[in-house]
Amino acid sequence: MGQRSVRWGILATGGIAAAFAADLVDLPDAEIVAVASRRAESAEAFAERFGVTRAYGDWESLAADPDIDVVYVATPHAAHRAAAGLCLTAGRNVLCEKAFTLNAREAGELVALAKEHDRFLMEAMWMYCNPLVRRLKALVDDGAIGEVRTVQADFGLAGPFPAAHRLRDPALGGGSLLDLGVYPVSFAQLLLGEPDAVAASAVLSAEGVDLQTGALLSWESGALASLHCSIAGGTGTTASVTGSLGRIDIPAGFFHPERFVLHRDGRDCEEFTAEPADGPRTSLRHEAAEVMRALRAGERESPLVPLDGSLAVMRTLDTIRERIGVRYPGEAVTAAAAAVAG
């Protein structure tokens, strides 16, 4: 692809799309050329806000635009399969928000489409691209804390969310697990891979989505992960990794940390902090930069967010939902999902 600007299309116009667009604007080698929504007025307002020249009132026009190098799919996860699949089939490369899809079956279908059409595909698990998280993983992989014994992580929002909110709507993949629990699960699997056994319990809403879920993942190595997510109470959003020779603690906001502390037996603790060049801890630009690097290198997936890893996380989320009894209606995109995705 060379070193010209990478041309992005943004599919959907909600809060995460706006945050991503704001970070793209700050990247000198990125250009937003088009945005699409199910509602033309939403696309036009978004385009005006970010200086985008093309605003489409449907997804199909964006997918067919030959001037787009890669599409960022920012719909609620209930619409990911339809939106990302449309773009891949039209020959576009895709960065798709997490959770990757509603379930592992849909995720597998997207991966198959990417291979069939020889396109790049990546889940937007921005935590994996964060420089400090990458540093933590490197330390663990290098044996800084010995053999990993336990991982603990939580992500909870205080709420309360009304019944009409997307987080309470089964048709939109509502509940805490896919929206928030994907982070603790992805963090544990970043360090330990796919678990060998999964146990879980949850408190469900009247609508049948999980208000809070606790999961215990286990590996044949003897490692355990204790994970929690909630839309019924604000948690510390902390994480800790304990090994046979030490421990790493990450304070609030473990999925986009400013710092973490390494404790090793017989040594003074060491604090690792984000570099000023890394930008704000809330920045999504690291995942955007990784997509652009991969596209220029001719890669069809990112080594930082490999597709096999995204599929493995989806299988774990599926298993947790089986354990807690959460089912989404038809596990397919509905008219309600398409409307909110707009």
Side-chain angles (χ1 to χ4, degrees), residues 176-242:
S176 64
L177 183 64
L178 292 194
D179 218 84
L180 307 178
V182 64
Y183 285 107
V185 170
S186 294
F187 181 72
Q189 294 193 200
L190 175 69
L191 302 175
L192 288 164
E194 189 168 4
D196 296 300
V198 176
S201 183
V203 176
L204 304 186
S205 72
E207 302 83 22
V209 303
D210 65 305
L211 294 173
Q212 59 177 348
T213 294
L216 183 67
L217 314 185
S218 58
W219 287 260
E220 290 181 356
S221 67
L224 297 173
S226 176
L227 313 174
H228 173 254
C229 57
S230 176
I231 56 172
T235 68
T237 64
T238 62
S240 183
V241 186
T242 301

Side-chain angles (χ1 to χ4, degrees), residues 1-3 290-301 303:
M1 180 176 288
Q3 289 303 308
E290 171 60 11
V291 170
M292 295 190 291
R293 182 209 61 76
L295 290 177
R296 289 186 170 124
E299 299 172 5
R300 290 301 182 242
E301 62 180 293

Side-chain angles (χ1 to χ4, degrees), residues 41-316:
E41 58 271 24
S42 295
E44 290 162 4
F46 191 98
E48 182 176 357
R49 177 180 175 185
F50 292 103
V52 181
T53 57
R54 304 177 203 179
Y56 297 120
D58 62 273
W59 298 350
E60 291 77 10
S61 296
L62 182 82
D65 190 329
D67 293 331
I68 293 174
D69 295 316
V70 57
V71 174
Y72 171 59
V73 172
T75 68
H77 32 258
H80 286 176
R81 169 62 181 88
L86 175 70
C87 294
L88 290 166
T89 301
R92 305 279 80 79
N93 300 299
V94 171
L95 172 66
C96 184
E97 256 309 325
K98 55 81 204 153
F100 204 21
T101 49
L102 277 185
N103 52 50
R105 175 186 57 79
E106 291 185 352
E109 290 170 357
L110 288 185
V111 172
L113 279 174
K115 293 179 179 178
E116 177 185 348
H117 295 280
D118 193 27
R119 295 294 91 188
F120 175 89
L121 175 63
M122 180 177 124
E123 179 187 12
M125 179 44 68
W126 62 310
M127 174 176 63
Y128 282 9
C129 300
N130 180 283
L132 206 56
V133 173
R134 293 175 63 183
R135 179 70 174 125
L136 182 152
K137 177 171 168 54
L139 284 168
V140 172
D141 290 348
D142 289 344
I145 59 171
E147 184 179 354
V148 175
R149 303 296 197 204
T150 62
V151 174
Q152 296 170 286
D154 67 89
F155 192 170
L157 300 177
F161 296 94
H165 194 279
R166 70 171 183 84
L167 287 174
R168 294 275 300 272
D169 190 345
L172 299 179
S176 64
L177 183 64
L178 292 194
D179 218 84
L180 307 178
V182 64
Y183 285 107
V185 170
S186 294
F187 181 72
Q189 294 193 200
L190 175 69
L191 302 175
L192 288 164
E194 189 168 4
D196 296 300
V198 176
S201 183
V203 176
L204 304 186
S205 72
E207 302 83 22
V209 303
D210 65 305
L211 294 173
Q212 59 177 348
T213 294
L216 183 67
L217 314 185
S218 58
W219 287 260
E220 290 181 356
S221 67
L224 297 173
S226 176
L227 313 174
H228 173 254
C229 57
S230 176
I231 56 172
T235 68
T237 64
T238 62
S240 183
V241 186
T242 301
S244 56
L245 301 176
R247 186 181 79 250
I248 295 175
D249 293 329
I250 315 175
F254 76 88
F255 50 92
H256 58 163
E258 290 180 337
R259 64 185 182 90
F260 65 81
V261 181
L262 170 62
H263 305 266
R264 288 194 271 196
D265 297 345
R267 303 191 193 183
D268 292 337
C269 64
E270 301 173 62
E271 183 173 87
F272 294 78
T273 58
E275 297 292 336
D278 293 341
R281 68 194 297 255
T282 55
S283 176
L284 301 172
R285 66 186 177 93
H286 300 296
E287 69 180 4
E290 171 60 11
V291 170
M292 295 190 291
R293 182 209 61 76
L295 290 177
R296 289 186 170 124
E299 299 172 5
R300 290 301 182 242
E301 62 180 293
S302 164
L304 297 185
V305 195
L307 293 172
D308 281 349
S310 294
L311 291 172
V313 167
M314 289 310 309
R315 286 193 292 268
T316 300

